[in-house]
Each structure stands twice: as C-alpha cells, then as structure tokens.
Amino acid sequence: MVMRNFSAAASKRDETVRQPKQRLRKVGPFAIGSISSSDGRIRYAGSWAPSSKDDTDGEDAYTESHVNSDKPSASRVGDECICERCSECGAIKEEYTDEEMGIMLIILGTFIHREPALAAPFLPEILTIISRVALHSTFPWQCESATHLPGGSQSVAHQFIRCVLHQLAPNGIFYQIFLIQGNETSRKKLYKSVSLSLGDFTELNPTSPVQLLIETLNSKKTLPPDLLPIILRNMSEYLQCVQIDNISPSIWSTAVQGIDTLFRRILFMISSLDEADNLLQIMTSILKVPQLSKNVLEPFSKILSYAIQNFTLTHKALIDICYLNNKAFSKERDKMQLCRQIVFELVQALKFKTNIVDSNLLLLVGILLQDAGGILPPGLIDDLPDVPPPPCNIAECMKTYLNDVIEFLADFHTLSKIKFLFTSRNNVKNCGITPGLSEDTLGGVLKATIAQYLALEMSRGNSRDNRAVSRYLPWLNNAPSSLQQGPKEFTDCVGHMRLLAWLLMGSLTHTALLVGRRGGHIGQHGAAVHYHQHPSVSQPVPQESSCHIADHIQVIFAGFAEQSKTSVLHMSSLFHAFTLCQLWTVYLEQIAYASTPSSEAYNITMGILFEFWSKVTPCILQLVSHSKLSESVNLHFLSLLEALKETRSTILAKLLPLWTPVLSSNTQLSGTLHVRLQNCRDAVPSEASEALLKWLQHLQFKMGQIELQSSTATQFYSL
C-alpha cells in the first residue's frame, strides 16, 4: 500500500516536471512581475471586466476535448483571450481609472525631472500624449467649465506641462516644440494645452513660448531657411490658440518687440519662402494685441507688399488684416497704413508698374468693390464669402486715386497689356485664377468691376450740382461743334464715348445684381435684393446729361464717313456709338423702373429717353444715305434692336415703327436681316429684367474684343 502511494506520487511529480513552464505576462506599462489567472481582472481596472464564466456543461466539454485531443483549440479563454489591440503598434489596449492616470503622469513627470537627458528623445511624443489628457474631459460638465477636479488626470496633466516647460525652458524646449512635425490636429491640441496650462502660471505666461523662441532665432547670425517655414507655421497655430485679448499689454511688449525684429530680418530672405499665409496669420494675431506699438506697421506693410506681388493670397487674410489694423490704432495715419499699402499695390498694378498675381489682382478689385458697396458677379472669386465682410476702409483710401481709375478705363491698350501679361512665358506667377477666366475675358472682367466701383463713387459724389461729373467728366457738357471737328477732336470723342460706355456698364451691372423691378436678383453676396427694399439705383451720370450724350453721338455719326479710314480706332467708332446708345437706353429705363409707372419721375425719365432718340435717329438716317455705309449701319442698328429685345426693353415696341424705315430707307434687306427684324417686331413687351445681367456680360465681352482689336490694329466689326 505504501509502495503504491509512493509510485502514484512519483508519477504525479514526473508529470509536473514534464509540464511547460508558465509564461509571465505583463499587465500595463508599469507591471514587472507575473500574475495568476485569478488576477486577470486587474487588467481592466476602472472598468467592467469581460465575463469569464464558461457556459458549457460537462458533456460538451468532454466532447470538445475528445474531438480536439490531437489539435490545439483555436478558441482561447481567460488570460489567453485578447480583447482589443492597437491598430498601429499591436499593443493590448488597457483601461485605467482617472486616479490611476494621474498617478502615471506623476511617475512620468518624476522621470523627466530626475533624468531629463534620458527623457529628451521622447519629449515630443510625451507632450503630444499629455496634451490629449489635458484636453480630455472625464465628465460632461467639464466641457463647459474651467474647473478641474483636484487630483484628476486633467489637472495633473496641466501641472505636468507647467513643470516640464519651466524646468526645460533654459534648455531651449520651446524652440524644439515649434519644430514639431506632426499632423495638424495633434499640433493644435498640443499648442492649445500649452496655452491653457500657462494661462494661470506665475513663472511662465502664454507669451513666454513665443518670446523665448524669438530670442533663440534673433540670437542666430542667420535665420535657418529650411526650418523657418516650419517655425512660422507652428507659431501661427500657437498664436491662434492664445486668448490674446485677455493678456496684459505689458506682458506682450517684449514678445511684440521680438516679432518686430524677426520680421525685419525675414524681409531679407522672404524670397526663399514658398508662401506667406503663416506670416499674414501671425500679423493678424499680433494686431489683436491691446495697445499695440505702431513700430510693427513698417515691417508688416513691407511683407504685405511683397506677398501681394509674389504669393497667392486669400480673401479672409486681407480682410482680417485691414479690419484689425483699423481697430488696433486710434490715429488715422496708423489705422489706415496697411489699407493704404494694399490700395497702393492695386493702383501700381492698374498702371502696369508692377506685375502681381492675376488671382491677387482680381481679389484686390473684389475687396475694393465690396467695401464700396458693390457686388461681384457670381463665381468670380472662389473664397468670397456670401455675407459681406465688415468695412475695411479700402474704398476710402482709393478715393485719392480716382483719376488713375479713369485713366485705366479710358486707355484702349489696357486689355492688350493684361492679355500680354497673362500669356507671357516669363510670367510664372499666374496661378489660382478662377476657372472660366482666360486671356480674352480677364481684362473685360477687370474693367467692368473697376467701372462698377467708379460708378458707385461718382453716385455718392453727385449732388444737386453734379460735382462728381464736373470733376471727373468735364468734357461731357462740352461736345465739339461741327466747325471744330477734326481728326483729333474725333479721336477724343471716341475715347470719351468708350469711357462713358464702361461707366454705364459698371452702373448697370450693379443694378442687375442688386435691383429688380418685380423680384430679387442673386448676386455673389447670396442674398435676394428686392425692388421695394432698395429703390435707389447707381446713377453716376445724371439723366439731365442725355442731350449732351446725344451731341457726342451726333459728332461720331457726322464724322464717321470722313474719319472712318483715318485709323483703326476710327473704324470702331461706329460700334462704340451704337453701344453707347444701347447702354444709355437701358440705363434710363432702369432709372425709370425705380419709380412707379404712374409717377411723375417715371414720365420725366421716359420723356428724356424719347427726346434722346429724337435727336439720334435723324443722324442714323443720314448715315444710312451713304451707299457704302448703309450695310454696316444696318447691321449695327439691327444689333441694337436685338439688344433691346434681349433686355426686355419697353421702349422697343414704342419706337420700332419709327426705326423700321431707317433699315429699309436706302437698301433692300437680305432674307437673314429681314428675319432678324421680324423677330424684333414680334417681341412681347415685358418689364422683367432677368436677362439684363446676361446681356451685359455678352456686351462686356464684345467691348473687350473691340478694344483688343483696336489695340492690335486689326479691324473688327460686331455683327
């Protein structure tokens, strides 16, 4: 019996020896020993552990064990079950309570405090992870409150950031923080957590990272060109996370002085940068500093000037700079300095003294027009907001350059210069242009937009004595007489008619986008504007000038037969005369539509329009009497009738019986022209102006093409 028990014990001991040694498992990043299966729930501290109960009965267990006796089981339970792993590193995901997280952060902070050299390589990753904890709210009410639980992981994380930054500040940790190359979300979380942690810290403040970074950069003999874009990007992101308005101006003074010095040094190497968005964003943040020193305006204006000429900018960046510059200073000279710099660059570009990016030129013109109260056609600028931005005083600064604006519109070589710059092989800066604009349409769009701005400014400047017209269009009331008509007078008259046509084009474009007689029109502001809400119409030229405009048109019609072959410009004079007739007719009709049809103002305006055509029609009839010119005049006159039909003009049906004999007075119309005339006769009168904008865009393109052809000495007739 004893021997039997001894044999059984020996056999059991041998089986124990043959069993494989149990593998030690780590639980958590700080575990150093092995655990038994009974301690498996420690891995789920602070949360519910998964159930370890086995629901299989003995028979099923026996069957499964018997079936898989030759093959290890693929389904593991207990300690061998892996619930969830990290998708990046494959480590087991573990959960801890808020208190345990705080203890871990304290241990990690102690390690950095005692062994900073060993912790230095891991600091970027450590700070990134700690920033997530600092911004993570354990309870929902913490999202709406700045109060932290004492001893909680969030408060410990903030204290961790304070202690680490304060300890390593003399070792240049802020310079390294602004060199972090992570994704944008991680960077912004880190900078936001740093800003929040230093907000109530006595040893450091939210401006300290910027101040110490700039001290490090300014201490170098030369700025690192390869690292500077990264530093500027991270600095702009950090400044966006700082609550600048809540910090005392005295605290900002040192940092602002350092930025002033840094920007002056950047001016010498700005050509090595690929973009200026981060520089402009830093400028925007600094302009929010209370009681800002005006010394920063000088480097800011120079950087802004270079950025406009060489980089593609955004609408928001320029608007923010102008608005904040106006808000940051009290003196008129200081608060308008950056706005004046933008206007100066625009004027230099319009005078072709500088060559800026085409998208920037459109952007500056669009901002100018918006600030003046105008509206851009839909789709002209991509990032233009639907809601008009706050006033930025650019239109106010532009008032001193109205003569340059008029010169830009009057020069018929303008469009050819724009086309040359757009297509020039040496102009490598043409980027960011809106799809749909080309070398043939860009110049016309710019002229029409500038003309709309000029029309709005002249409308504001006109009073009872029409001061704006007398100042900027002094020739309007002084048409040359028949005895004074020579080549020079004829050329001047053609130039005046072309300028007046562009001015009316801008006014009507504003009207088409802003006002409709019965309904609203959707402009790029996105809001429907109705007739009853905005009864006023842009009126740069008073309707009383109708007789003087008719006199200028009579000069062109009277001298066209003799002067048409003098130059290419004279050849296109007939087109400009009929174009002005179209625009002036629609212009007066829009003024009349601002009043009710039964009002006296409506009848006066329509009477002026009838008087205009009573003076112009005999001149057209006299011009048709020339057999060599009758066909050309008929084509232009028929185009005028079709234009009035397209714009739903009400005067077409009233004057068509008077105009029809003009077309058939000297020559017999061809079949095609007769069909076109019959279509005009069959037009149904309508007061709707839905097609006005479309017609203006077509006419704008024609006017641009005529000027291009005239500038390149090529004859072109619009049929």
Side-chain angles (χ1 to χ4, degrees):
M1 186 67 179
V2 175
M3 293 298 296
R4 185 181 302 173
N5 292 338
F6 176 79
S7 300
S11 176
K12 186 176 182 179
R13 184 171 60 251
D14 293 340
E15 290 177 1
T16 304
V17 173
R18 287 194 298 268
Q19 286 181 354
K21 185 179 295 184
Q22 185 179 4
R23 186 177 57 183
L24 299 179
R25 289 179 52 84
K26 292 184 178 181
V27 180
F30 303 104
I32 57 176
S34 61
I35 61 173
S36 62
S37 60
S38 61
D39 297 330
R41 298 179 66 87
I42 298 179
R43 294 188 294 119
Y44 306 98
S47 63
W48 291 100
S51 176
S52 59
K53 181 179 179 181
D54 190 0
D55 296 333
T56 58
D57 54 14
E59 183 179 356
D60 294 337
Y62 171 78
T63 304
E64 184 178 355
S65 175
H66 179 73
V67 172
N68 297 327
S69 59
D70 298 332
K71 182 179 180 181
S73 175
S75 58
R76 301 179 182 273
V77 296
D79 284 341
E80 301 300 328
C81 179
I82 298 177
C83 298
E84 190 176 2
R85 287 183 177 270
C86 177
S87 60
E88 297 181 359
C89 62
I92 300 175
K93 290 186 177 181
E94 301 167 353
E95 298 181 7
Y96 301 93
T97 63
D98 189 69
E99 182 180 359
E100 290 171 338
M101 289 294 299
I103 295 175
M104 294 178 188
L105 295 179
I106 294 174
I107 296 173
L108 187 59
T110 305
F111 165 67
I112 297 176
H113 179 72
R114 293 186 176 182
E115 300 292 342
L118 294 177
F122 307 101
L123 276 178
E125 185 177 359
I126 290 175
L127 291 176
T128 302
I129 296 175
I130 299 301
S131 65
R132 298 177 185 174
V133 180
L135 298 178
H136 176 72
S137 300
T138 308
F139 303 99
W141 59 266
Q142 290 180 310
C143 299
E144 302 176 357
S145 175
T147 305
H148 305 302
L149 289 176
S153 61
Q154 194 175 16
S155 60
V156 174
H158 284 293
Q159 186 64 20
F160 176 93
I161 294 175
R162 297 187 192 101
C163 295
V164 170
L165 295 182
H166 181 259
Q167 176 189 356
L168 301 180
N171 302 100
I173 187 174
F174 292 113
Y175 182 77
Q176 297 298 327
I177 285 179
F178 286 106
L179 288 177
I180 288 180
Q181 284 276 42
N183 59 74
E184 183 178 358
T185 304
S186 299
R187 293 197 311 266
K188 289 187 176 181
K189 285 184 177 180
L190 172 61
Y191 297 141
K192 185 176 181 180
S193 62
V194 170
S195 174
L196 293 176
S197 300
L198 300 181
D200 54 353
F201 190 41
T202 57
E203 301 296 333
L204 296 174
N205 57 71
T207 67
S208 299
V210 177
Q211 177 183 342
L212 296 176
L213 168 68
I214 293 176
E215 289 179 359
T216 304
L217 291 175
N218 290 335
S219 63
K220 299 178 180 294
K221 292 184 178 180
T222 58
L223 297 176
D226 52 339
L227 300 179
L228 189 60
I230 302 174
I231 295 174
L232 294 176
R233 180 200 64 193
N234 293 339
M235 187 193 302
S236 66
E237 292 178 354
Y238 175 77
L239 288 175
Q240 293 179 48
C241 300
V242 178
Q243 297 181 356
I244 298 177
D245 299 338
N246 298 334
I247 302 176
S248 173
S250 59
I251 298 178
W252 273 109
S253 59
T254 306
V256 171
Q257 292 176 3
I259 290 178
D260 183 8
T261 305
L262 177 63
F263 272 48
R264 294 178 188 273
R265 297 184 63 187
I266 290 177
L267 284 172
F268 295 101
M269 56 174 301
I270 192 173
S271 58
S272 62
L273 300 179
D274 296 330
E275 49 87 21
D277 293 341
N278 296 319
L279 282 172
L280 298 183
Q281 184 59 51
I282 294 174
M283 292 166 53
T284 302
S285 300
I286 296 302
L287 288 173
K288 298 178 183 178
V289 175
Q291 301 179 13
L292 182 65
S293 173
K294 66 178 182 179
N295 295 332
V296 299
L297 291 176
E298 181 182 353
F300 281 8
S301 60
K302 292 181 179 179
I303 288 179
L304 181 61
S305 174
Y306 187 89
I308 292 175
Q309 296 181 23
N310 297 274
F311 301 123
T312 302
L313 306 182
T314 61
H315 178 271
K316 185 179 184 303
L318 294 179
I319 289 295
D320 289 346
I321 287 176
C322 294
Y323 174 74
L324 293 173
N325 179 33
N326 184 48
K327 185 179 178 181
F329 300 96
S330 57
K331 292 185 178 180
E332 195 72 19
R333 179 180 180 181
D334 299 333
K335 67 194 310 182
M336 305 280 282
Q337 182 166 343
L338 297 181
C339 299
R340 285 196 299 267
Q341 187 65 42
I342 293 177
V343 169
F344 176 77
E345 293 298 330
L346 174 60
V347 173
Q348 293 298 102
L350 295 180
K351 297 170 71 173
F352 301 100
K353 293 185 177 180
T354 59
N355 181 20
I356 69 176
V357 183
D358 291 325
S359 59
N360 286 352
L361 182 58
L362 274 176
L363 181 61
L364 295 183
V365 173
I367 293 176
L368 170 66
L369 183 59
Q370 275 192 331
D371 195 51
I375 304 176
L376 285 172
L380 187 59
I381 299 177
D382 291 335
D383 62 340
L384 201 66
D386 294 334
V387 180
C392 55
N393 294 327
I394 288 184
E396 186 69 23
C397 297
M398 192 68 180
K399 287 184 178 180
T400 57
Y401 298 100
L402 286 182
N403 289 325
D404 296 319
V405 171
I406 293 176
E407 182 180 352
F408 174 82
L409 295 176
D411 186 8
F412 70 95
H413 294 295
T414 296
L415 300 186
S416 61
K417 294 177 182 178
I418 294 176
K419 182 177 181 179
F420 172 77
L421 293 177
F422 186 85
T423 58
S424 176
R425 294 182 179 179
N426 296 327
N427 185 16
V428 297
K429 298 179 292 184
N430 284 324
C431 55
I433 198 71
T434 303
L437 292 180
S438 63
E439 58 187 29
D440 294 323
T441 59
L442 178 61
V445 169
L446 284 174
K447 265 201 169 184
T449 309
I450 291 292
Q452 186 182 163
Y453 162 73
L454 180 61
L456 291 172
E457 289 297 336
M458 290 185 62
S459 299
R460 295 188 184 95
N462 281 334
S463 58
R464 293 183 179 179
D465 53 356
N466 299 320
R467 295 180 181 179
V469 174
S470 302
R471 180 178 180 181
Y472 300 111
L473 306 177
W475 44 264
L476 183 58
N477 299 331
N478 301 310
S481 62
S482 57
L483 300 177
Q484 298 174 342
Q485 291 183 15
K488 183 179 182 304
E489 289 75 17
F490 189 84
T491 302
D492 293 340
C493 190
V494 173
H496 295 159
M497 293 300 95
R498 188 175 59 252
L499 172 60
L500 192 57
W502 280 112
L503 183 61
L504 296 178
M505 169 70 69
S507 175
L508 288 173
T509 301
H510 176 76
T511 302
L513 291 171
L514 184 64
V515 180
R517 183 174 184 185
R518 290 186 175 179
H521 296 275
I522 304 296
Q524 196 159 346
H525 285 173
V529 184
H530 295 276
Y531 157 74
H532 296 290
Q533 297 174 347
H534 295 271
S536 61
V537 182
S538 172
Q539 299 182 26
V541 182
Q543 59 184 3
E544 293 79 12
S545 301
S546 179
C547 58
H548 301 293
I549 294 176
D551 293 339
H552 283 79
I553 294 176
Q554 286 177 339
V555 170
I556 294 179
F557 285 155
F560 179 75
E562 299 178 359
Q563 304 290 341
S564 61
K565 297 182 180 180
T566 305
S567 67
V568 176
L569 181 61
H570 292 176
M571 294 179 186
S572 62
S573 60
L574 196 61
F575 169 82
H576 293 298
F578 277 99
T579 299
L580 183 59
C581 290
Q582 298 176 33
L583 291 169
W584 185 249
T585 301
V586 179
Y587 177 78
L588 289 181
E589 283 189 325
Q590 294 299 320
I591 294 178
Y593 291 161
S595 306
T596 57
S598 59
S599 63
E600 182 181 0
Y602 180 89
N603 295 328
I604 291 176
T605 303
M606 296 305 293
I608 293 175
L609 182 56
F610 285 124
E611 182 182 359
F612 169 80
W613 278 109
S614 65
K615 296 183 64 175
V616 172
T617 303
C619 298
I620 299 176
L621 185 60
Q622 183 180 2
L623 193 60
V624 171
S625 62
H626 293 79
S627 58
K628 296 182 180 180
L629 302 176
S630 59
E631 184 178 358
S632 175
V633 175
N634 285 339
L635 290 173
H636 281 290
F637 194 73
L638 190 57
S639 297
L640 183 146
L641 299 183
E642 291 175 338
L644 296 180
K645 172 193 171 184
E646 185 178 353
T647 57
R648 310 294 193 268
S649 175
T650 57
I651 200 176
L652 177 61
K654 299 177 181 179
L655 293 181
L656 193 57
L658 176 65
W659 288 338
T660 302
V662 175
L663 295 172
S664 56
S665 60
N666 193 34
T667 58
Q668 187 68 25
L669 294 177
S670 63
T672 304
L673 297 182
H674 184 74
V675 172
R676 293 170 61 182
L677 178 60
Q678 188 62 37
N679 291 334
C680 295
R681 290 173 177 172
D682 297 338
V684 179
S686 174
E687 296 178 352
S689 57
E690 297 177 355
L692 178 59
L693 181 60
K694 182 179 180 181
W695 170 73
L696 288 172
Q697 291 174 342
H698 290 168
L699 184 60
Q700 170 188 306
F701 177 76
K702 290 181 181 180
M703 293 170 61
Q705 291 301 305
I706 287 293
E707 290 194 10
L708 282 173
Q709 298 295 333
S710 300
S711 179
T712 55
T714 303
Q715 185 176 2
F716 180 80
Y717 286 105
S718 177
L719 302 182

